[in-house]
Amino acid sequence: MLLLFTGIVSMLCLPLSVVGAADVRDALIYKMEILIPPKEGRDETADILQIENTVADLKDIAVIFAFKELGRPRIVLVLEVEKACSWPQLTSFLSRKGYEYSVVPLSLCSDYAHGLGVKLPHDLWTYSFKDGNLTMVTKIFPVGDLTTTEYDERLKLTFEQDRSILETGQKGACFRVLAEYPVKLVYFAPVTPTQIQAIEKILLAPGMYENEATRIENLASYTAVCQGD
């Protein structure tokens, strides 16, 4: 994964005439996951605070989301990278500290849905969540014996369901993982028990996709509590 990531960064540091504007545009958003491995004498809270401060000071890299998985020392970041050559300011820090990390490029689900013929306006999504019950859901769409048309129809139906859910007032954000096949979508959303029941009714379609849900919290909320604020 790290070799692939290094290759991506190297390509993006080339002039636009070499890489192509479309590729650069698609690679502006990334999901980074950072795992702090257990180590004798390690202060996990102090490490997480240092990561938060380092991320906040990044140049040419804007933080869209910063979450911590509940019950695990794993941080999930969604970053908008203005200049890909700025990556070393973060990756060098992580490597020096001995943290494990992975990076995947993302694109907005609205853009992907538009390409499939589904109108899913950008302003339906939310890119800032209050503290509360937050979740990260990864949907993987198996290909099976579906034709390309049937596969696209399955994705279109999913985005139409997303639109219906968002129009009820549910908040959320959605990204497609680029260069992944079968298609993988990543959602972030606040979810209450009542909302879960409503969503389950809409999404009652066994076999359409595989779900993996992870409870998360805003990184700032975690670090604020740990500092006694």
Side-chain angles (χ1 to χ4, degrees), residues 195-215:
Q195 290 169 323
I196 289 176
Q197 293 175 4
I199 292 172
E200 285 179 344
K201 289 181 181 179
I202 296 176
L203 299 183
L204 191 59
M208 274 191 61
Y209 45 76
E210 300 170 1
N211 264 350
E212 178 183 332
T214 302
R215 291 286 307 281

Side-chain angles (χ1 to χ4, degrees), residues 30-132:
Y30 295 85
K31 178 166 74 76
M32 170 177 271
E33 296 193 3
I34 304 167
L35 180 64
I36 302 175
K39 183 179 179 181
E40 185 176 355
R42 167 162 277 166
D43 185 339
E44 178 186 301
T45 299
D47 284 358
I48 292 175
L49 283 167
Q50 190 172 12
I51 291 174
E52 182 188 36
N53 292 332
T54 299
V55 170
D57 291 337
L58 294 176
K59 296 181 179 179
D60 302 318
I61 299 180
V63 180
I64 300 175
F65 288 123
F67 299 115
K68 180 191 174 293
E69 181 178 349
L70 289 180
R72 284 189 68 200
R74 180 169 70 128
I75 294 172
V76 179
L77 305 174
V78 178
L79 306 171
E80 185 172 10
V81 183
E82 182 179 339
K83 296 180 180 179
C85 295
S86 300
W87 271 111
Q89 63 185 307
L90 177 56
T91 56
S92 296
F93 162 76
L94 297 174
S95 297
R96 287 196 309 271
K97 299 291 290 186
Y99 303 147
E100 300 173 6
Y101 66 91
S102 62
V103 183
V104 293
L106 305 175
S107 65
L108 298 175
C109 283
S110 292
D111 293 339
Y112 185 40
H114 181 74
L116 293 171
V118 179
K119 293 183 179 179
L120 194 57
H122 291 297
D123 57 10
L124 279 179
W125 302 105
T126 302
Y127 294 98
S128 177
F129 300 126
K130 297 180 180 179
D131 300 338

